[in-house]
Amino acid sequence: MSAGNDSPHDLIIVGAGPAGISAAINAQKSGLNYLLLEKTDHIADTIHCYQKGKFVMAEPLAIPLRGGLWMEPTTRETLLGRWSDAVRSHGVKIEFNAGVKEITRRDGQFHITTGDKQFAARRVVLAMGTQGNPRRLGVPGEDLPHVQTRLADPDAYADQDIVVVGGGDAAIEIALALAAKNRVTMAVRTPEFVRVKDSLERQALDKARKRQLTIHFNSAIEKIEAGSVAIKLSESVISVKARVVIVKIGAIPPRPFLESCGIEFPSKEREAMPVLSKSFETNVPGLFLIGAAGGRELVKHCINQGHEVVEHLCGRSVQPADEALLSEKLNFLAGAVSDRIASIASKVPVLSGASEAQIRELLLSSQFHRMAGGEFVFRQNDFSESFYMILDGQVDVLVKSDDGRERAVAALGPAQFFGEMSLISGRRRSASIRVAKPALLWEASRKAMLKFLHTTPPAKRLVDRGFLVHAFQSYLFPNVEYSSLAKLAGMANVLKFEKGGVIVKEGDPGDAFYFLRMGTVKVSKTSEGREVVLAYLAAGQYFGEMALLSGEPRTATVSAVNKVEVIQVLKGDFLAFLESAPECKEPIRQEINRRQQRNVEVELRPEMAELGRFMIGQEVVVGDNVLLIDQDKCVRCDYCVKACEAVHADGQTRIKRVGIIHANLLVPNSCRHCENPLCMTDCPPGDAIVRDPRGEVYIRDNCIGCGKCAENCPYGNIFMVHPKPIPPSFSLTQWVGRLLGRSEPASAEPTHDNERAFAVKCDLCRGIVGGPSCVRSCPTGAVMRLNPMEYYQRMQTKVLGRQGAESRAE
């Protein structure tokens, strides 16, 4: 094996992504004897393999960029071009096709082995991503040249037979991008799409229904040949034509390689990150870890860490790029940010097990509030989703009963948290929070907190347990002591069901009690050979209690309307708890009586079941503010549409008087302000489309016109609009010149006030006194905008009222 260099380098950097390139540029400027090793034949492999034209954001926007590597929001192509120019202009010493196989430490230095070379270095910086190597199928033919692991340019394929292997987000994105011009087949190992974005699942299944995409669930690849793929189904093996095969089944994370280098992990949890020093040094002296593999995935963080690690190596004092920003956020504490974080972490159990890097990431999307006694943090039924940790003081949890009165069900103090119920369920606040004693609260945004929980398993377990206790406390057993509820929560299980999944089945014995934690379920039974929808339940409601208390079999089937999470308490544990708290039995018995009366009414009036089926089938139940038009009252004047056009400066209507119809009710095409707004997922700026506490989903001025929200809306109620041309200015001189027969200058062409398109959707006439203009402008009162507490009853009254009138007329 030949030597890469006779004398040891001061530094070897592994990985030419943003972190590695940034480190190399600083090493070059600092005069170090260094080398950058890259396993591929190009820089920034992850970004290089993005689809053509993909937009890359420069997040977090609030922190400064350090070093000599450019970064601004731009396309994949522009970014790679600018980075390639930087590598050339700085004279970065880089060796391509040099995948590192082994790193060992002996005789006071590191020995790095690539394919056919060895290098020695006093210190090593690992700047690898988290993707690792693509997973392999382990079947004959997977090394054939037409088998790929990434899609570079969907437009490069037309009229071809393509097989996409995998059922995750990336696989669906590729299949959707190719399906428009090609014959695409997906081979998915699971019986349905699991853990994918709802918007992508909808698009894929919709194309499958239209026969624009073929999906084989419960399938496995048996063999790949030059022009075909053998796909094993449950009872047969089929041969599918395939000129191209794209395998997207995930990647092997770099943890095994890191452990082979001697790097230790704090636990065996898959999401666990190595413990690093302030200078990014691992437990192995002289071995440093930066970038995504070290817990900071965003490109801007990677660039900054690459610059900072070389500053540390050169003995220069350097503060993290987010130091000033976080110092201001934590201005109620003294010392360096690291010391302040350590002080808070010791008092907040949710942070236990988290690294400083993870806490810094969370702090960037956090705010701190000093609140006086009597102030409300939020009100019951608000549509906010932040998570709160109590650093000092005390708050009361208040729940409004059916008679409209608020009562305190719990008091929370330092080291405790609240807001996890809306964080997890995505629904309105289940209780009000009022400050009892002057308090200092830490508010973390939903997106940042969910990411934190995903990468910090101990925190997730703690929050999940808190959710169970608070759920029981708020919805079921408000007068039971916290310790007793905590014991009950310890017996519970959290189960997940995909859309259509059956949770309990009619006729089965009652073996458990269920509390709905996230999503919506349908309660139905079979009558005369057809399904009768009895009710639908949303997060915060429960089911399964009838069979437990009566001892009779299940009287109805409960199935998932969308993705659902339920809390399950087994029969023995639940009944034992009720025996220990007999005061809890009566509210449950009262609810059983109400449900039994409702079920009888539905069975006697089939039209109620039909209405319920319509609302669930058309997903009206997922809306938080649904627009309805009573066709019996509507005179087709179109005032609702004209009023919508008039109140918006762009002149674009947000309502179309067409849509789905049931009996005399029209659900027009207009934003429903969904309880779980898919339009808010994948927003590149992160906050261009947001929801306020009242539930209004609206688009802010920082929209970049990417169209993601429009793509993700499952109902087509967001659309992209190109700005109208601005007529050219016309001066008196030009008017005189025209009279004299002079030609107009070539530049006098219509221009646009903004060249990019922008997204348009209903914002419930946000900021306009009186509320939605469409409702106010209707001369007959046919137009209604209703929330979940109103629309089922109003729809039922109008539909049944009309049918009753028709019956009397007959």
Side-chain angles (χ1 to χ4, degrees), residues 5-11 33 109-110 119-122:
N5 198 317
D6 293 335
S7 59
H9 291 82
D10 295 327
L11 174 66
N33 176 19
Q109 62 186 23
F110 292 93
F119 302 92
R122 297 182 180 89

Side-chain angles (χ1 to χ4, degrees), residues 144-167:
L144 291 172
H146 69 296
V147 180
Q148 307 168 10
T149 56
R150 283 163 173 164
L151 174 66
D153 183 5
D155 293 334
Y157 302 90
D159 195 29
Q160 295 190 24
D161 295 297
I162 301 174
V163 170
V164 178
V165 184

Side-chain angles (χ1 to χ4, degrees), residues 169-473:
D169 288 343
I172 297 177
E173 286 176 347
I174 288 173
L176 293 174
L178 293 169
K181 298 180 181 179
N182 302 276
R183 294 171 295 279
V184 180
T185 299
M186 291 190 71
V188 182
R189 177 177 56 85
T190 54
E192 57 190 324
F193 291 122
V194 180
R195 293 188 299 275
V196 301
K197 295 172 185 173
D198 289 343
S199 57
L200 291 175
E201 180 180 16
R202 288 175 185 273
Q203 292 178 64
L205 295 179
D206 182 60
K207 283 192 176 293
R209 282 192 292 269
K210 296 176 181 177
R211 298 188 178 182
Q212 299 168 350
L213 173 66
T214 301
I215 305 176
H216 292 297
F217 291 108
N218 278 326
S219 64
I221 303 301
E222 197 168 77
K223 181 173 61 174
I224 301 175
E225 296 181 331
S228 65
V229 174
I231 302 178
K232 184 178 181 180
L233 305 179
S234 56
E235 297 180 357
S236 63
V237 177
I238 62 173
S239 179
V240 177
K241 291 182 179 179
R243 187 174 177 183
V244 178
V245 179
I246 302 176
V247 180
K248 294 298 295 182
I249 56 174
I252 301 172
R255 178 165 177 165
F257 174 77
L258 297 179
E259 290 180 323
S260 74
C261 298
I263 297 176
E264 297 175 354
F265 286 73
S267 73
K268 294 182 179 180
E269 300 276 3
R270 186 175 62 178
E271 296 83 4
M273 293 288 177
V275 178
L276 305 176
S277 72
K278 295 179 182 179
S279 61
F280 314 109
E281 191 170 19
T282 68
N283 60 285
V284 180
L287 183 59
F288 298 79
L289 179 62
I290 60 174
R296 304 301 289 266
E297 298 178 352
L298 298 176
V299 175
K300 203 170 182 182
H301 280 320
C302 293
I303 294 174
N304 286 341
Q305 287 189 342
H307 175 79
E308 291 165 10
V309 72
V310 174
E311 293 293 287
H312 286 298
L313 292 175
C314 292
R316 296 189 284 264
S317 177
V318 58
Q319 295 284 0
D322 56 13
E323 187 77 8
L325 179 63
L326 296 186
S327 179
E328 178 60 29
K329 282 183 180 285
L330 300 172
N331 57 12
F332 52 89
L333 295 173
V337 169
S338 295
D339 298 329
R340 302 183 200 190
I341 288 175
S343 174
I344 292 179
S346 65
K347 302 174 183 177
V348 181
V350 172
L351 303 180
S352 62
S355 67
E356 182 180 320
Q358 290 171 307
I359 298 175
R360 281 179 175 268
E361 191 77 29
L362 181 63
L363 282 168
L364 288 174
S365 299
S366 298
Q367 300 179 61
F368 293 86
H369 308 279
R370 287 197 178 275
M371 303 188 70
E375 287 190 78
F376 278 86
V377 183
F378 52 73
R379 295 273 191 174
Q380 187 171 345
N381 292 323
D382 276 0
F383 229 132
S384 58
E385 301 168 323
S386 300
F387 179 84
Y388 292 84
M389 291 162 275
I390 305 173
L391 300 182
D392 191 22
Q394 181 180 309
V395 302
D396 289 333
V397 182
L398 309 175
V399 174
K400 188 177 292 185
S401 56
D402 293 339
D403 60 8
R405 296 180 180 180
E406 281 189 327
R407 68 185 189 282
V409 297
L412 305 175
Q416 293 184 287
F417 55 83
F418 58 91
E420 79 288 346
M421 296 186 70
S422 291
L423 175 83
I424 293 172
S425 70
R427 295 181 62 85
R428 292 176 179 269
R429 295 295 189 185
S430 60
S432 296
I433 301 293
R434 184 180 61 199
V435 177
K437 297 179 182 179
L440 175 60
L441 305 179
W442 177 350
E443 178 188 6
S445 73
R446 182 172 193 263
K447 183 177 179 181
M449 194 64 202
L450 289 176
K451 179 180 178 181
F452 178 80
L453 295 179
H454 177 72
T455 57
T456 316
K460 186 177 187 307
R461 287 193 291 269
L462 185 63
V463 170
D464 281 348
R465 185 169 178 269
F467 178 98
L468 300 182
V469 175
H470 292 161
F472 291 146
Q473 201 168 49

Side-chain angles (χ1 to χ4, degrees), residues 47 99 105 168 207 306 360 383 406 513 585 645 673 703 727:
I47 294 175
R105 191 171 188 269
K207 283 192 176 293
R360 281 179 175 268
F383 229 132
E406 281 189 327
F513 171 86
K585 286 185 179 180
E645 291 175 348
H673 300 266
C703 172

